Amino acid sequence: MVSHKGVDYTKILKRYDVEAQNETTPESVAKKMLPSDPTLKKVAETVLYMKFKDVGPAVTEALKTVKPLSVINDGLVVGMECVAKLYAEHIYYLPEIMMAAKTMEIGIAIAEKQIPGGRETKGLVVMHAAEGDPHDIGKNIAAVMMRSSGYSVIDMGKDVAVTDVVAEVVKSKPMLITGTALMTTTMTAFPHAAEQLRGKGINTPFMAAGGAVNRDFAESFDLGIYSEKAPQTPPIADKIKAGYDWRKIREEWDNIVGGA
Amino acid sequence: MVSHKGVDYTKILKRYDVEAQNETTPESVAKKMLPSDPTLKKVAETVLYMKFKDVGPAVTEALKTVKPLSVINDGLVVGMECVAKLYAEHIYYLPEIMMAAKTMEIGIAIAEKQIPGGRETKGLVVMHAAEGDPHDIGKNIAAVMMRSSGYSVIDMGKDVAVTDVVAEVVKSKPMLITGTALMTTTMTAFPHAAEQLRGKGINTPFMAAGGAVNRDFAESFDLGIYSEKAPQTPPIADKIKAGYDWRKIREEWDNIVGGA
Amino acid sequence: MSVTRYTKMAYSSADEMVFGTAKSPVSYGFGIKVGAGRVIPELNYAPRPGSEKDPARLAKEYVDYISKDVLERAVTVGFPDVQLETEWVSQMGTPKMAIPVVEGQKAICEKYHEEYGINCAVRHTIPDQREAGEEGLRTGMKGHHAYPEALFKAAEVACENGADVFSVETMGGKELSDYATTNGDVVAFLFGVGYLGSIDMEYVWKEFVNICKKNKTIAGGDTNCAGANTAMFMAGGYLDNDVQRTYSAVTRAIASARTLVAWECGASGPDKDCGYEGPIAKSIAGKPCAQEGKNCQCAHCDLQGNLMAQVCDLWSNESVEYHPEFGGSSVQCWLGSLGYEVSLMNTAIATGQEKTLRDLYMISDRSRGPEGYVLAYDNAYKIGEAIAKEGNNLYLRSRAAGITAAKLIKAGNEAKEIALTNKQKDVLVNIIKDLEALPDSEDKFFEYCDKKYSDLVPLYNKKNYGF
Amino acid sequence: MSVTRYTKMAYSSADEMVFGTAKSPVSYGFGIKVGAGRVIPELNYAPRPGSEKDPARLAKEYVDYISKDVLERAVTVGFPDVQLETEWVSQMGTPKMAIPVVEGQKAICEKYHEEYGINCAVRHTIPDQREAGEEGLRTGMKGHHAYPEALFKAAEVACENGADVFSVETMGGKELSDYATTNGDVVAFLFGVGYLGSIDMEYVWKEFVNICKKNKTIAGGDTNCAGANTAMFMAGGYLDNDVQRTYSAVTRAIASARTLVAWECGASGPDKDCGYEGPIAKSIAGKPCAQEGKNCQCAHCDLQGNLMAQVCDLWSNESVEYHPEFGGSSVQCWLGSLGYEVSLMNTAIATGQEKTLRDLYMISDRSRGPEGYVLAYDNAYKIGEAIAKEGNNLYLRSRAAGITAAKLIKAGNEAKEIALTNKQKDVLVNIIKDLEALPDSEDKFFEYCDKKYSDLVPLYNKKNYGF
Ligand code: B12
Ligand code: B12
């Protein structure tokens, strides 16, 4: 047996993860980003620290003095922005995102009730995993990211037939459709769906994503745009909201996702 | 030091080349294929055994009793057909092909002079390696194969500008154009050339070949057809002669090259 | 079929395990002998988009293009053996699509075997398209796709038409492992994969083994791709930040207790390449296992590329999409990579140096990350022992696997054998705490989890597991 | 620059040579040390079709896509070192196209080095676009592209703008080697590559070394890609039937005498991966060499995938076209393959097992074919000795290399170490006969060949070689 004791590992590998670990704490990021108003700060902190038991009381308390839309945008959403920042800096990881998002949603649900006619989101997105494709984790994560950036989402689930996707789009008129495929043999559903949509005069961008899909494929059919990673979706959606059509998204893709 | 003496190589590798080597001799193949007429047989044998010193005398001798076209087709070409068969059966290799072809060409040159107006070949092919591409061995081999199957060839060489290719085609009206590219950054010349040809109303099939080119690429532009290996070209050319256009070649590609 | 639980180790020491040899070798196909003294390359591929359109096109893609290319290249380079693996695309759920592929691959193997004497065989890995929730993993539930009947039907189609080896990556527990991994909840993983997943494995594998027996197909095995691989995949490498690798390492150990069940139901191995739990499972059962690593970069890159070769019997590329490269088609390029690695291993065997090479593979990645650390064959053996000790109890053995793995990492970190980031350490400490806090009684465990996850995981439905 | 011929071996025995260590290590770039006790992966790539259209696109492709992907993956998996190699596409002949690429790659290396501490560097391999025949390899000939001035200009552009290592694959002798290989004429090869090619190397490398010195760029080396690699490529594997592998093996030995010339002119290594003659050249000169094999399947598959790693200092994938795969981009997938192989070699070094692993690599392919047989380090060393013995005479040393290689194969075949087909044997016997029949006098050799090939090879023109 060759012994591994005393081996000089520096020749073999470098633990960049350990060397590069970020000693920043959630607190130090929070200090720079959290609202100064103590009531809103408390709300934001429940999201930042994923306290889904505390978020209800904190929001209810805040609503006594602060307008509901401000509780959402200047409290809950700011907390989530801290979380996103911490995620980008490798201090928070996926579970924190998931739990913080859940916390935020509980808070929003309470605040929203006080807004006549409900809260207006940035826009509606219809999401699904392709017909025949059971891989849905990526889509689920992307859905959470979209919700936490202020979009409303209709999540149609996985293995969704092309006809169902088209019907849903016709019905609910989203600003963006997303499809996830992790198999080379299921991603072919996207151009079909896009074609049927075009046939009905619908020009909504169709974002093709998921492990099997690459940018070339996503841009090989009309309406198709690409997103590589879940966190890239909100910046793209923001551009669509700002009036970009699918052609313009394609042209500026590198710049749009550059920061994400 | 780990010793290789006495190692049981059967666990590691299998010398399929040694196991499968063909014990057939050129003689046994020749016996079945060579013409029975002794004069023509002698001509064919000079090609089969690559005797470029003997081919001249043998052809001159034969021309005394046999028509020049028959000397070519029933003597020299039959010899070359034997060579092709031996090549296919892994008894002859490339050098034999090259030398036999050279032998045949010497013989043809002599016989041809006796045909009023020269010999008619199966058709004219314009061949080149792409602009910027210095890789030309594959093209050179393919050119030899085409000549030995009875086509005449204009070999434009390597690093040939698109405009030169187009000009040559306009001038000499070949039945087939071939381009070789071994670099991903030079093969893009082919669609350009094809487009310019189309612009001039020329619909001659444009065969894209060489290491960098694959069937998808070759068939991604109008006129484009594919050939993977040099020996596949003559069967494709034969179909073009038989009236196939580039679309039909594409459709039946698998069948056409199946045997080659 | 009866189920025989493992309560003892197949190997008397970790050092006894090595690549190319298993306690119980298996022979099949055209001359293939797995675990019988040499490693065999296993090549897996995905058809090009569009080839799924009709049966003729799909069969052409799998047989005339992919299989032919692979066999041709194997002969060109002198590889004595090659195994093909076809992971069925979802369209192969209908026999019309599946049969020409299965038959065609059998026929082309026979042709090459006869023409050149190359040893070859095909593994068919059918998809488990059952869905949790109301849909149902078991008969008599709502399943609009009428599963699990469709799953067993697919198994029959594969076995009756020429599969040499049969595998599945079953879904039992996936609804919980998806939740567990995205939320960092190791107890949910233990409940879903270690416990419920094992119960589901038993349900389906008894039937699979019957079907295989009837058709003289080798029942290979299962892997927890849906659980531990998803975790590992998402944990990624040093620049990824979704899932912690200490979490992923522990899920791997838990998954190994589940993977064993196929073999306990009578399957014989080789199990599937993406079952990174192979070293653990092999240490307990002595059955041959397929593995992947260094030469599966086409499919993914993990932190134990060399280490995974240490005790493999088949060496796989996981999967590559069929497309052209300078060096031939993609399947040929990756076969070349696999084949040369296998040649190196077999050279080591032929010269008596196999343990040295095994150790080099292992040391290369032992400290690269916690996942490789727990799979290093000495640690894998210890996890195996923990499982075998509680072999008769599906819950306790998976928990023991998880705790043992976690503690091995902790001890290794303290001994400076394996560095961890602070975050990895935090997560590890919590995992140990969470797993140790669980009740020792299976019933109490079920009760606790059933209640907790009924709330948290909408798709969870105990009926799927016969409760 | 003066030229110092090698007449002695750098190593006192074959067994002294091993991967990762060279007698004369070389340092450059951001922390790269080649031949100094560990092997380094070298990743080479080809841009996607269309990216050559304008300078911005080409730079984006090489820098923002390819280089970034590679560096990112290296950090993700924990590889301590990585070298990039850019083989210039023909469009980079104009400085406008080349400069942004060279500068951009330098900058991104610096960025990753600073951010993560990864050791990295870029090798630039410029194209030799000179053409034989009337066109001319030397100044003052007709060359409508104005070579060789353009060649030296390209070298300046590379070195002035940030190349860490400089290489070329020069063309001297190609007109003859093309003829030789397609017609199976080993004397033409000896004349073209061994003799005229060496003369041309001296002509260009004196100048390259000057340019490198001026710019503090490392002058790496040259390889006979146009000759011996073309032969090997065309000889292919067991199902190919263009060129005999005994012929190809002998051309490799002849080429090694040519490759040496760059180093004799003052280049320091590392030479190029596709110079399979590396083991021979290293045995004589002790300078580090790059090699390729098992993990260059993306570019081609030969019969010595493992063997080529035996004494390498850099380990390369030869080249892969940039495109997506399941596992990331193609460059990332092949970097993973390379990096893990390198990790295995470095583990062997770190545990004192490097000679064992070297021998396993070598034995794996020693009997796979004659090309690997002559490159097995013990045989390579013997060929090195034959060259060194006649070191001062470019003709005699190449001939000695060829004859020695041929006789080694013959003896190995008789000793049943290396099987040969009858055809391979026939060709081998003729090669020995043809080479031995040549005169011992350089002048007579030149006279004989000059006459013979003036007739047979239209492009041959002795003016290209200063005659
Ligand atoms: C986990 C996994 C599974 C799990 C899936 C669990 C789940 N809930 O999703 C299970 C076990 C179910 C599974 C099953 C199968 N799988 Co699977 N699987 C994988 C694996 C290992 C990881 C996938 C994964 O979850 N990645 C992590 C997530 C986070 O990544 P992701 O989805 O790509 O998402 C990221 C981005 O794409 C993006 N994204 C995704 N969606 C969206 C949407 C939007 C809007 C945006 C912006 C971004 C975005 O964001 C995410 C990251 O930020 C891959 C390997 C691989 N290389 O991909 C194989 C893989 C996808 N599977 C494969 C196969 C073949 C199968 C099976 C068919 C095998 C079989 N025969 O049984 C079955 C499917 C059976 C069926 N029903 O047809 C192949 C596909 C090959 C092909 N043909 O193309 C792969 C590539 C593995 C391989 N063999 O190499 N698999
Ligand atoms: C030999 C070779 C060379 C020789 C070429 C000698 C010659 N006379 O052709 C030389 C040394 C000159 C050379 C130079 C370069 N090369 Co080069 N070369 C190769 C190599 C190793 C083998 C090519 C070869 O001859 N194959 C054998 C022949 C027979 O194959 P073939 O041409 O493909 O032909 C077959 C078929 O394609 C077909 N075929 C071909 N043409 C035709 C035509 C018809 C009508 C038909 C029917 C069939 C057909 O039939 C043949 C078989 O039956 C390849 C490796 C590879 N994987 O391809 C690299 C390769 C092509 N070269 C490459 C490169 C980068 C270069 C250089 C740019 C390197 C540099 N920076 O210096 C330079 C070019 C410089 C310049 N001027 O721009 C890259 C290309 C990468 C890319 N960008 O796409 C490759 C792929 C190597 C690599 N790095 O992986 N090279």
Side-chain angles (χ1 to χ4, degrees), chain A residues 39 52 90 103-104 107 115 125 154 164 200 249-250:
Chain A
T39 323
F52 36 86
H90 293 214
T103 311
M104 179 186 75
I115 305 173
V125 182
I154 296 179
D164 294 350
K200 296 188 190 308
I249 296 282
R250 281 190 197 176

Side-chain angles (χ1 to χ4, degrees), chain B residues 127 132 134-139 141-142 178-180 182-185 207 209-212 227-233, chain C residues 326-327, chain D residues 44 46-47 87-90 125-129 169-171 174 178 225-226 229-230 233-234 242 299-300 318-320:
Chain B
M127 303 179 80
H135 300 90
D136 62 353
I137 298 187
K139 178 207 58 155
I141 298 172
T178 82
T180 297
L182 272 87
M183 299 167 66
T184 49
T185 48
M207 180 182 287
S227 174
E228 198 186 340
K229 290 179 180 168
Q232 289 172 349
T233 325
Chain C
F326 295 144
Chain D
N44 185 350
E87 284 194 343
W88 289 20
V89 294
S90 56
T125 301
I126 65 164
D128 180 359
Q129 293 174 302
E169 299 170 1
T170 54
M171 293 297 173
K174 172 175 165 294
D178 278 2
C225 190
N229 271 24
T230 305
F233 199 85
M234 292 179 65
D242 278 337
H300 82 275
E318 185 174 1
S319 186
V320 66

